Amino acid sequence: MCINTDVSMQNKLKIINDPVHGFIKIPHEILFDIIEHPYFQRLRRISQTGLLSLIFPGATHTRFHHALGAMHLMFTALETLKQKGVKISDEEEKGAMLAILMHDIGHGPFSHALESMLMDDWHHENLSLLLMNRLNEEFNGELNVAIEMFQGKYHRKFFNQLISSQLDVDRLDYLKRDSFFTGVSEGNINTQRIISMMNVCEEGELVIDAKGIYSIENFLTARMFMYWQVYYHKTSALAEFLLVKILERAKYLVSQGIDLPATENLKYFLYRGKSSATDEDVERFTQMDDNDVIQAMKSWQNSDDIILSYWCKCVIQRNLPKTIISSHPFDPKLIEEKIKKTNEFFGIDNGQDLVHEIKRKLLPYDTEKQPIYLLQKSGLKLRLDESEDQLLSGLIVNKTTRYILTFPRDINSLIS
């Protein structure tokens, strides 16, 4: 029997079994090539929801899962639009699927939490674009259309809106996926119904058929509930905050000449000063994942620095600080009292480093930033919040803010 080992003859049109969407097709070979690339495979080791598994044990899914799911929903959306008479070429389909597949490729360890700590406020979208350009060189310009769509420079606007807007396939996937893995049913939106209502108006913008208004309102309210119940849950907000403070403290300590054990790539970023991203920065960044930070926190539990040691133990041992949530800022006198008790308990004079007020704010539906339009039977489009048929949209256009006070749980044992 003759076995052909030529990689070029490999069948790349695979089918992937996804727990959320079922079978996902890979209809273009370039999609398979990107998925197989080390830049993309790294996403298997990047948590989709940071430390959310400390609160919802099932939330152990990754950016890899999410990117594949978003690609699948993009394919479904494009097929729906084609059936409604929207002309979409094979190149455009391939470009849109590539763009959404790679939209999170620049995420660092624990996703959003640490992106500003490691690369000086380089948003993950900037890093994603940088890596897309590198991949484009490697694949001889095959990603040109994808990059144009990702940047919003492609002449047909609806492609970028499917990638990034208030109703994009990115949000459709992460809401349904995070709902599935956390077990929080309020986020379990009907993605198929929403996609079936998508259309493109004469101006080339993404719109929703008017009869789909309640599905859209359900999507917006589901997103709001997921933020307050899951992403902005007080313990979730605390865990993300602790990650930032741990890296911030570690960077401060190494700047003071204290050597901290860490993997080679993480240590590089701890010592790195503020500057523009270099080739070495990018190379090292693409070799890092959640494991680098977890390994460091395990070691830093034994640090001589009480602040760093305390925070790392909080995360690794899941012995988290106490939290109180409020819709108003906390009384400065209460904060001072917590700082005083922290100093007494630990025998330190910098208790303010362990007592913090965390703020989280959410605007469920922004009527100005890429508003959602409904397509009437007359062919005219109408803003969702201006429709006479809307029930909830007018109630979710205001920003809501919550305040979380965190302090060491042990100080509650002190007698005032």
Side-chain angles (χ1 to χ4, degrees), residues 21 34 63 68 89 93 122 202 207 244 259 363 368 379 407:
H21 301 303
I34 295 298
R63 288 278 155 187
L68 292 176
S89 69
E93 176 183 281
W122 265 63
E202 290 183 2
V207 291
V244 173
D259 183 49
L363 178 59
E368 301 303 321
F407 51 89

Side-chain angles (χ1 to χ4, degrees), residues 179-225:
S179 169
F180 177 87
F181 282 99
T182 59
V184 177
S185 60
E186 284 80 0
N188 187 19
I189 55 172
N190 189 339
T191 54
Q192 296 305 312
R193 169 66 177 170
I194 293 170
I195 287 175
S196 72
M197 292 295 105
M198 288 181 174
N199 213 327
V200 175
C201 65
E202 290 183 2
E203 295 87 353
E205 292 186 65
L206 186 69
V207 291
I208 297 296
D209 291 333
K211 61 184 177 181
I213 183 171
Y214 300 130
S215 295
I216 303 308
E217 289 199 315
N218 181 60
F219 158 77
L220 292 172
T221 52
R223 183 171 178 269
M224 177 181 68
F225 286 130

Side-chain angles (χ1 to χ4, degrees), residues 228-415:
W228 289 124
Q229 285 187 247
V230 178
Y231 312 127
Y232 288 174
H233 181 288
K234 65 175 185 173
T235 312
S236 173
L238 169 63
E240 182 175 307
F241 177 79
L242 286 177
L243 274 178
V244 173
K245 300 305 288 185
I246 286 169
L247 264 292
E248 190 178 85
R249 186 70 179 177
K251 290 188 84 167
Y252 166 75
L253 292 174
V254 299
S255 74
Q256 300 302 303
I258 298 172
D259 183 49
L260 293 176
T263 61
E264 183 181 341
N265 290 315
L266 179 56
K267 185 168 283 193
Y268 172 85
F269 284 103
L270 292 179
Y271 282 94
R272 179 184 178 275
K274 286 187 175 294
S275 65
S276 301
T278 64
D279 286 344
E280 184 177 6
D281 290 341
V282 176
E283 183 61 30
R284 288 183 177 275
F285 185 84
T286 56
Q287 293 178 30
M288 279 209 309
D289 53 51
D290 292 3
N291 296 315
D292 294 82
V293 178
I294 291 172
Q295 183 176 333
M297 289 191 294
K298 288 170 67 177
S299 297
W300 296 345
Q301 291 179 99
N302 303 314
S303 170
D304 292 333
D305 182 74
I306 290 177
I307 305 296
L308 181 63
S309 172
Y310 172 75
W311 279 333
C312 289
K313 286 177 181 176
C314 286
V315 174
I316 296 299
Q317 300 175 22
R318 204 202 176 281
N319 185 17
L320 298 169
K322 180 73 174 174
T323 53
I324 307 172
I325 192 166
S326 171
S327 56
H328 304 286
F330 287 90
D331 186 337
K333 290 182 180 179
L334 174 63
I335 297 175
E336 283 300 318
E337 177 196 336
K338 299 300 182 187
I339 292 173
K340 180 184 176 184
K341 287 189 174 183
T342 299
N343 283 332
E344 291 175 7
F345 184 87
F346 289 100
I348 57 178
D349 59 7
N350 58 337
Q352 68 276 4
D353 290 335
L354 293 176
V355 179
H356 294 278
E357 183 180 74
I358 307 167
K359 184 166 74 172
R360 290 289 182 269
K361 53 188 177 181
L362 176 68
L363 178 59
Y365 175 53
D366 191 333
T367 57
E368 301 303 321
K369 183 183 178 183
Q370 291 187 314
I372 297 170
Y373 284 97
L374 302 173
L375 184 64
Q376 309 296 304
K377 286 185 178 180
S378 63
L380 297 176
K381 64 178 188 177
L382 179 68
R383 251 176 40 175
L384 173 65
D385 53 298
E386 295 175 347
S387 170
E388 292 182 355
D389 294 323
Q390 63 89 12
L391 297 175
L392 301 169
S393 304
L395 302 175
I396 56 175
V397 295
N398 297 313
K399 189 175 291 184
T400 308
T401 305
R402 294 286 184 270
Y403 300 85
I404 302 165
L405 181 63
T406 174
F407 51 89
R409 187 175 297 274
D410 312 272
I411 68 173
N412 281 341
S413 63
L414 288 179
I415 301 175

